[in-house]
Amino acid sequence: MEWNVPKFPLDAISDDVLGWLTDHGSWLTRAVSRNISDWIDSFTTALVSLPPWICIGIATLVSYRIGGRKIGVLTLAGLLFLWNLRLWQSTVETLVLVTLATVVALVIGIPVGICCALSRRAWRLFSPLLDMMQTLPSFVYLIPALPFFGLGAVSACFATIVFSVPPVIRLTALGIRGVPTELVEASDAFGGSAAQKLFKVQLPLALPTIMAGVNQTMMLALSMVVIAAMIGAGGLGREVWQSIQRLEAGAGFEAGIGIVIVAVILDRVTQALAARARPHGTA
């Protein structure tokens, strides 16, 4: 039996809103897209032009200084293996996109998280939006990116930023709200200003939780960059997508292993950063 209640025209409303935004704002987003695309291409070209062993050596040294010998050896072995698989350029492209998207997501997310922690009204405003952002399928974020930025890496970055920003907002707010009340009251008792209380008490104590948010944001960014290969993003995701189109199971497996290696390295390094941020004497 058919339901005779008229259908709510959500699809038409969405098309109209997206069309209006595209007509009135695409001139700005396309200009931004060209500049960001040039930056991505220049940075990727500069890294690829270096001998891979130099980049691997620097990455290994950084990982060793952050996480110790085990993470340094993991980074060295993983990147050497990717070089051996002839996936070095794709790996660099993926890392550039993930780094850019993560940095922008943190620049947006941490201040919003601080605002949500300090203002109940802001939290009530952003909480439903964050719930929706984390519930929508990742493929949906690719739809609005195309009209504004066109095919390519910039659309991938835009979709990745929107997809990966909720965890750092939530965990920043959670970390600040989890600071013991006694310490906040002690800061007030000593006459500390709101800024002093935030930057000298709340943020330092919330830093381990914030770093957990950084970890989750980076992992989501990596997963989205891989999916964004469908709209022209490069990197390891493109290798997987092309292997699916060509039914090349072996090449797809190689690229998939490459993504796993990059994910494990980034995860271990950010976890080590979170451990270093944890105050001494805490578990």
Side-chain angles (χ1 to χ4, degrees):
M1 183 178 64
E2 292 186 2
W3 196 15
N4 294 323
V5 177
K7 174 182 177 293
F8 182 75
L10 181 59
D11 53 351
I13 293 174
S14 300
D15 288 338
D16 291 340
V17 170
L18 186 59
W20 186 88
L21 291 173
T22 302
D23 292 339
H24 293 81
S26 60
W27 63 271
L28 177 61
T29 57
R30 291 303 175 98
V32 171
S33 176
R34 287 191 294 271
N35 291 327
I36 295 178
S37 179
D38 291 341
W39 184 89
I40 292 173
D41 292 341
S42 299
F43 196 64
T44 303
T45 301
L47 288 177
V48 171
S49 65
L50 291 173
W53 61 268
I54 293 180
C55 296
I56 294 172
I58 293 173
T60 300
L61 180 61
V62 171
S63 300
Y64 172 76
R65 294 299 299 269
I66 292 175
R69 183 175 61 185
K70 289 184 179 179
I71 296 179
V73 171
L74 171 66
T75 301
L76 177 62
L79 295 181
L80 285 175
F81 186 57
L82 291 174
W83 185 17
N84 176 263
L85 292 178
R86 309 300 189 266
L87 292 173
W88 179 249
Q89 180 166 342
S90 296
T91 300
V92 170
E93 292 173 357
T94 296
L95 289 173
V96 169
L97 291 176
V98 169
T99 301
L100 176 61
T102 301
V103 169
V104 175
L106 296 182
V107 169
I108 297 171
I110 291 177
V112 173
I114 293 172
C115 181
C116 290
L118 302 180
S119 170
R120 292 186 179 274
R121 181 177 298 178
W123 177 248
R124 287 196 296 268
L125 175 65
F126 280 100
S127 183
L129 181 61
L130 295 176
D131 291 338
M132 184 184 71
M133 291 170 67
Q134 292 186 292
T135 305
L136 283 174
S138 56
F139 294 95
V140 175
Y141 292 98
L142 304 179
I143 298 173
L146 290 174
F148 290 110
F149 300 101
L151 289 171
V154 179
S155 288
C157 281
F158 171 80
T160 301
I161 292 164
V162 177
F163 179 68
S164 62
V165 76
V168 73
I169 296 177
R170 287 189 181 277
L171 288 172
T172 298
L174 177 65
I176 293 175
R177 288 184 172 185
V179 173
T181 307
E182 296 82 2
L183 296 178
V184 177
E185 292 175 349
S187 175
D188 293 333
F190 281 101
S193 64
Q196 289 174 327
K197 180 170 62 178
L198 175 64
F199 289 104
K200 295 186 177 181
V201 178
Q202 293 172 308
L203 282 179
L205 292 175
L207 190 56
T209 306
I210 295 173
M211 288 304 304
V214 173
N215 175 274
Q216 292 302 305
T217 294
M218 185 169 286
M219 292 298 101
L220 287 178
L222 178 60
S223 67
M224 189 63 183
V225 164
V226 172
I227 294 172
M230 292 190 298
I231 59 172
L236 294 169
R238 179 184 58 200
E239 301 294 332
V240 174
W241 183 240
Q242 288 179 348
S243 66
I244 292 174
Q245 293 177 313
R246 299 170 182 172
L247 297 178
E248 296 176 347
F253 181 72
E254 282 187 348
I257 290 296
I259 293 168
V260 171
I261 291 172
V262 172
V264 170
I265 291 173
L266 294 177
D267 179 63
R268 295 298 183 269
V269 170
T270 51
Q271 283 190 19
L273 282 172
R276 289 165 66 97
R278 187 176 298 118
H280 295 292
T282 62

